[in-house]
Amino acid sequence: MLTSLSASSWLLGFAGFLLALGLDLRRRRVGSSDLLRLGILSFLDLLAPAATFGCALALCAQMWPAAMREGVLHVRTVAFPGALACLIAGPLLWTEGRKQMQFQRPTGLIFGEWLFFAGAVLTSITTALDFDRAARLWSLAPVVAGLALIAVIVPPFVKKFEGLTILEAIGEKEQFSQPEYTPPTQECPQPQLWKMLDAQSTEVEVLDFLKALVVAMKPRLIVETGTFLGHGTLKLAEGLRHNGFGRVITIELDPAIRARALERFKASGLSGWIESRLESSLDAKIDGTIDLLFSDSHLPNREAEVRRLLPHIDPRGLVLIHDASSHFHIVREAVLRLEAEGLISSVLMSTPRGLAIAQRREGRR
Ligand SMILES: C[S@@+](CC[C@H](N)C(=O)[O-])C[C@H]1O[C@@H](n2cnc3c(N)ncnc32)[C@H](O)[C@@H]1O
């Protein structure tokens, strides 16, 4: 099919390939110096959508002169279904790339999907156009290869905790902000207006809000459950540094994740404001009165940890419960239950993942 392309179709296809590749590198913040450090599967993940866009352009360019001259499209050719398939697959693969960035989906997945799709299209074309048996069998090879690749990379990814996948994906690179990943909800219909660093770290705007709250409230003791990469801790600590007093105790269950957060704390120069603990929020013992609790650990644990820490919280202080949007039923329902029991009074802030700002009822005047 490709050998019968005219020189101008080849040229246009190559230009389309380069353009799509350039745009993909840009949105992934991959510079020319990073290119050499990319693994083979990462490289193939970049080539797959670019090649599809290139093929779409080349095949359209190939059909264009005859279509213009004769005023008809020759449907029973290789070029027509090929171009159609590429025009459908190109945007799909592009979206898959976005999801790969947002959800840290496994490297090689886009290439695997591309192989499968390309093979399926080739098989359909060779069958529909009565190619010989050998050609039909060969066109099945990419389907098998794509399925095999997906079968190898997807199961370990599904089994792994998302936080560790993010940890691996970001490697030594600094993170960058991208549009928020959670789907729209009734209370937050345009989540894409917010920014996120990854699917576990608090939304960028909410991080800024945490700092502003610390500056406004002047808490002496802050407790954060679920450190993850430490983005929330650092914003809370920035607020403390601004105030000139206080400390934040941050609690993380996973040793590898905590080690990464500790590196970040050290590099930030804010370690002096932070007490990092490796334990479960459900076992943590806190001495002193908590002025600000930021509950942000495992979703199903939030209710138990808030109930556990509530007696230690100053009634003039605040309880922030992250992920209280209707997308995360489990947390929202827990907040509503705690409120219905008269334990807290809460405001449900309509951010993409939701933030309940609550206060302990007992002792409040
Ligand atoms: C949503 S992330 C925290 C995000 C972080 N607070 C921020 O602002 O970027 C949740 C973290 O809680 C940790 N975690 C899960 N269960 C926990 C528990 N029982 N105690 C403490 N941390 C826990 C997970 O390992 C993960 O790193």
Side-chain angles (χ1 to χ4, degrees):
M1 163 167 57
L2 294 177
T3 46
S4 59
L5 285 180
S6 67
S8 56
S9 304
W10 265 107
L11 217 63
L12 205 68
F14 190 58
F17 167 79
L18 287 181
L19 181 71
L21 185 62
L23 289 173
D24 210 359
L25 288 170
R26 206 174 122 187
R27 73 172 172 163
R28 290 172 185 264
R29 312 278 210 282
V30 178
S32 44
S33 56
D34 304 319
L35 264 179
L36 294 175
R37 279 188 277 130
L38 284 183
I40 180 81
L41 283 178
S42 305
F43 201 65
L44 292 171
D45 278 345
L46 280 163
L47 289 188
T52 308
F53 280 117
C55 278
L57 264 182
L59 292 172
C60 287
Q62 183 71 10
M63 290 184 295
W64 183 260
M68 285 292 103
R69 214 174 32 243
E70 300 162 25
V72 280
L73 264 180
H74 293 283
V75 174
R76 277 192 72 80
T77 57
V78 175
F80 180 77
L84 196 65
C86 289
L87 286 171
I88 294 170
L92 289 177
L93 290 168
W94 186 259
T95 310
E96 286 294 285
R98 179 174 54 72
K99 290 186 184 161
Q100 191 177 46
M101 287 155 65
Q102 284 183 322
F103 303 109
Q104 279 78 34
R105 284 186 177 174
T107 310
L109 182 61
I110 297 180
F111 181 61
E113 289 170 346
W114 180 79
L115 277 176
F116 177 80
F117 187 81
V121 171
L122 282 176
T123 307
S124 313
I125 293 175
T126 49
T127 308
L129 299 182
D130 292 330
F131 277 50
D132 63 27
R133 195 174 130 80
R136 292 206 303 269
L137 278 179
W138 269 114
S139 63
L140 272 175
V143 176
V144 177
L147 281 177
L149 183 58
I150 291 170
V152 169
I153 58 176
V154 170
F157 168 77
V158 174
K159 278 194 212 131
K160 203 180 260 177
F161 163 52
E162 188 186 40
L164 291 174
T165 319
I166 295 171
L167 211 63
E168 277 172 18
I170 60 175
E172 292 306 310
K173 272 191 354 198
E174 205 31 70
Q175 291 179 285
F176 57 86
S177 60
Q178 48 182 314
E180 170 61 26
Y181 87 104
T182 44
T185 54
Q186 209 178 1
E187 69 276 6
C188 186
Q190 288 185 290
Q192 77 283 359
L193 298 179
W194 279 256
K195 295 256 177 288
M196 68 162 201
L197 296 163
D198 58 67
Q200 286 278 319
S201 297
T202 303
E203 305 94 306
V204 173
E205 293 82 351
V206 177
L207 288 172
D208 290 336
F209 180 65
L210 290 180
K211 178 180 173 184
L213 265 183
V214 174
V215 171
M217 285 188 56
K218 315 286 182 218
R220 291 195 174 273
L221 178 57
I222 305 175
V223 173
E224 176 190 40
T225 64
T227 310
F228 194 48
L229 300 177
H231 290 292
T233 324
L234 285 176
K235 281 292 174 184
L236 295 164
E238 277 180 29
L240 293 177
R241 180 171 61 185
H242 175 96
N243 295 342
F245 61 88
R247 93 191 138 110
V248 50
I249 299 177
T250 184
I251 305 166
E252 173 56 53
L253 188 64
D254 188 286
I257 290 178
R258 181 193 181 230
R260 187 63 195 262
L262 284 177
E263 283 171 22
R264 195 180 288 270
F265 297 159
K266 203 166 158 208
S268 71
L270 287 163
S271 298
W273 303 94
I274 301 167
E275 180 184 329
S276 161
R277 293 193 186 174
L278 180 62
E279 62 183 347
S280 168
S281 58
L282 301 177
D283 301 327
K285 295 200 174 38
I286 306 290
D287 291 326
T289 306
I290 303 168
D291 300 303
L292 185 62
L293 170 66
F294 181 39
S295 168
D296 198 18
S297 68
H298 189 37
L299 298 178
N301 283 357
R302 303 288 176 82
E303 181 170 359
E305 69 191 20
V306 171
R307 282 185 191 277
R308 202 167 171 274
L309 293 173
L310 207 55
H312 302 279
I313 295 171
D314 190 318
R316 291 162 300 185
L318 284 184
V319 180
L320 306 178
I321 307 169
H322 196 215
D323 305 312
S325 85
S326 54
H327 178 67
F328 300 101
H329 298 277
I330 190 163
V331 180
R332 197 175 184 87
E333 281 160 19
V335 172
L336 296 176
R337 202 164 27 246
L338 290 165
E339 193 172 44
E341 288 176 27
L343 294 174
I344 59 169
S345 56
S346 68
V347 168
L348 297 171
M349 230 170 99
S350 298
T351 49
R353 303 182 205 174
L355 181 69
I357 304 182
Q359 210 161 29
R360 184 181 147 189
R361 288 289 296 274
E362 196 189 336
R364 202 187 63 175
R365 296 201 174 81

